[in-house]
């Protein structure tokens, strides 16, 4: 019986240690769907499920982008050249970031 009890205590301690070391994250996603459309509501429901499954450690905001004015001030990942120029002209802040750095850029606030 003692080995079983030791195993349970060990698993509990490991789970507690992992949970206390886990980082909290907050992400923002832009959606081309207006906030009243069913697709937008599905995305919001998905974000709520992720937040619930992670006990609030991961927060996802779905931002409706219905017009060019909604891009103003957003830090968007954009390749150099024409796309970057178009985003800048729309009022966004384009950031040239490789695909492999998107997760880090989101977690550190380099891009929205």
């Amino acid at each position: 019986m003692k080995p079983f009890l030791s195993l349970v205590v060990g698993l509990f301690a490991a789970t507690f240690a992992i949970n206390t070391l886990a980082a909290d994250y907050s992400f923002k996603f832009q959606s081309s769907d207006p906030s009243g459309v069913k697709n937008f509501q599905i995305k919001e429901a998905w974000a709520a499920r992720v937040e619930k499954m992670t006990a609030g450690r991961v927060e996802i905001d779905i931002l409706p982008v219905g017009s060019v004015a909604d891009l103003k001030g957003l830090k968007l990942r954009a390749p150099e050249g024409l796309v970057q120029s178009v985003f800048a002209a729309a009022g966004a802040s384009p950031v040239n970031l490789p695909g492999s750095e998107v997760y880090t850029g989101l977690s550190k606030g380099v891009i929205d």
Side-chain angles (χ1 to χ4, degrees), residues 47-59:
R49 283 193 308 272
V50 169
E51 190 169 347
K52 183 177 179 181
M53 288 186 323
T54 61
R57 294 185 151 266
V58 176
E59 178 184 319

Side-chain angles (χ1 to χ4, degrees), residues 3 11 16-19 23 25 28 33 37 43 54 56-57 59 61 70 73 75 93 96 98-99 101 109:
L11 285 174
F16 180 74
I18 289 170
N19 284 337
Y25 296 97
K28 295 178 185 176
D33 298 314
V37 175
K43 292 172 189 174
T54 61
R57 294 185 151 266
E59 178 184 319
D61 292 326
D70 294 335
K75 297 178 281 186
S93 301
N96 186 12
E101 296 296 321

Side-chain angles (χ1 to χ4, degrees), residues 77-96:
R77 176 181 173 255
E80 290 183 2
L82 181 62
V83 175
Q84 204 170 54
S85 300
V86 169
F87 282 161
S93 301
V95 177
N96 186 12

